[in-house]
Amino acid sequence: MSKAIKRILIVDDEEDLCEILQFNLESEGYETEVAYSAEEALQKDLSRFNLLLLDVMMGKMSGFKLIDTVRRELKLDMPVIFLTAKSEENDLLTGFNLGADDYITKPYSLKELIARVKVALKRSLPVSDNENAKVLHYEQIVLDLEAKSLMIDDEKIELTLKEFQILCLLFENKNKIFSRDEILERIWGDSVVVTNRTVDVNITRLRKKLKQYGEYLKNRPGLGYYFET
């Protein structure tokens, strides 16, 4: 059975760059479309795409504002990779806090970009050591691995893709401690350069979203994080 072709939306106001990206991604077997502004991207049915490549600095609406709209208003959780000349740590953290999966600074090699696209698409599936378990329960917490959804007390809780993957990892391995480096490797992969603070930021957001169950996400100083039961 042939695999479904992945669709990628490129959002960048540099037409020459978009053309180069389109050619190389399509040469790898992906379907691509281009939007030359965030506003143009929002006119498309974004749910059709498996991955978004976004520039940060574009016209009136930035890539940061676009991903915020995608995550908060449209409730879409496909992988998002930023392509940008901005490389300050605060900019990186802003992107990750808004739900980005990767951040590639210009100039970059096309081989590196394609490798990171493949990693992001591969890791868009839930992290699970038990492929037969589709729904996980604990008290009033319900994790649906296929729908990538979280329910608490029969209320749906919105998570970014990375938040969901981290929660799955800790939830499926209750009481097992994972170091920040282990979480980075399992969730982001070796080819993605992010800092340990990125893990802390995601855990902090998860604790808030888990409400009364947030206290189950524990930190063992010097060792890492775990879901305590």
Side-chain angles (χ1 to χ4, degrees), residues 23-41:
F23 175 81
N24 283 274
L25 289 169
E26 289 177 1
S27 296
E28 292 291 322
Y30 300 110
E31 288 185 1
T32 66
E33 289 187 27
V34 169
Y36 297 111
S37 68
E39 292 86 350
E40 183 182 345

Side-chain angles (χ1 to χ4, degrees), residues 71-129:
R71 297 298 195 223
R72 294 178 181 272
E73 297 181 22
L74 301 181
K75 309 298 184 184
L76 298 175
D77 64 356
M78 78 283 281
V80 173
I81 298 177
F82 277 120
L83 307 175
T84 180
K86 298 170 71 66
S87 60
E88 295 295 327
E89 183 179 20
N90 287 340
D91 295 319
L92 296 174
L93 289 176
T94 296
F96 288 126
N97 286 342
L98 290 171
D101 296 84
D102 199 357
Y103 208 113
I104 306 176
T105 55
K106 302 175 182 177
Y108 50 80
S109 73
L110 290 168
K111 287 185 178 180
E112 176 191 7
L113 182 142
I114 290 170
R116 294 195 181 203
V117 164
K118 290 179 179 178
V119 168
L121 287 170
K122 181 178 179 180
R123 292 184 177 274
S124 64
L125 299 173
V127 175
S128 174
D129 290 331

Side-chain angles (χ1 to χ4, degrees), residues 56-205:
V56 172
M57 304 303 293
M58 298 181 292
K60 294 181 179 179
M61 180 182 287
S62 70
F64 289 153
K65 177 60 178 176
L66 176 57
I67 190 177
D68 189 52
T69 301
V70 167
R71 297 298 195 223
R72 294 178 181 272
E73 297 181 22
L74 301 181
K75 309 298 184 184
L76 298 175
D77 64 356
M78 78 283 281
V80 173
I81 298 177
F82 277 120
L83 307 175
T84 180
K86 298 170 71 66
S87 60
E88 295 295 327
E89 183 179 20
N90 287 340
D91 295 319
L92 296 174
L93 289 176
T94 296
F96 288 126
N97 286 342
L98 290 171
D101 296 84
D102 199 357
Y103 208 113
I104 306 176
T105 55
K106 302 175 182 177
Y108 50 80
S109 73
L110 290 168
K111 287 185 178 180
E112 176 191 7
L113 182 142
I114 290 170
R116 294 195 181 203
V117 164
K118 290 179 179 178
V119 168
L121 287 170
K122 181 178 179 180
R123 292 184 177 274
S124 64
L125 299 173
V127 175
S128 174
D129 290 331
N130 183 0
E131 295 181 355
N132 295 320
K134 302 300 182 183
V135 180
L136 306 176
H137 302 263
Y138 183 73
E139 295 187 7
Q140 296 303 309
I141 302 173
V142 180
L143 272 173
D144 187 322
L145 301 186
E146 287 192 336
K148 290 184 283 188
S149 65
L150 167 67
M151 300 287 290
I152 294 180
D153 296 327
D154 295 322
E155 176 188 355
K156 185 175 181 180
I157 306 299
E158 298 295 338
L159 300 179
T160 67
L161 178 61
K162 293 306 181 189
E163 290 169 355
F164 182 82
Q165 291 177 320
I166 292 172
L167 182 58
C168 282
L169 175 64
L170 301 180
F171 197 83
E172 290 183 290
N173 299 277
K174 298 179 183 68
N175 298 314
K176 178 180 178 180
I177 298 174
F178 289 88
S179 69
R180 289 174 176 83
D181 287 340
E182 287 176 323
I183 294 173
L184 287 174
E185 181 180 353
R186 293 285 293 270
I187 306 302
W188 277 271
D190 293 334
S191 64
V192 179
V193 180
V194 293
T195 66
N196 285 339
R197 286 184 60 190
T198 303
V199 175
D200 298 335
V201 167
N202 278 273
I203 292 290
T204 298
R205 288 203 310 260

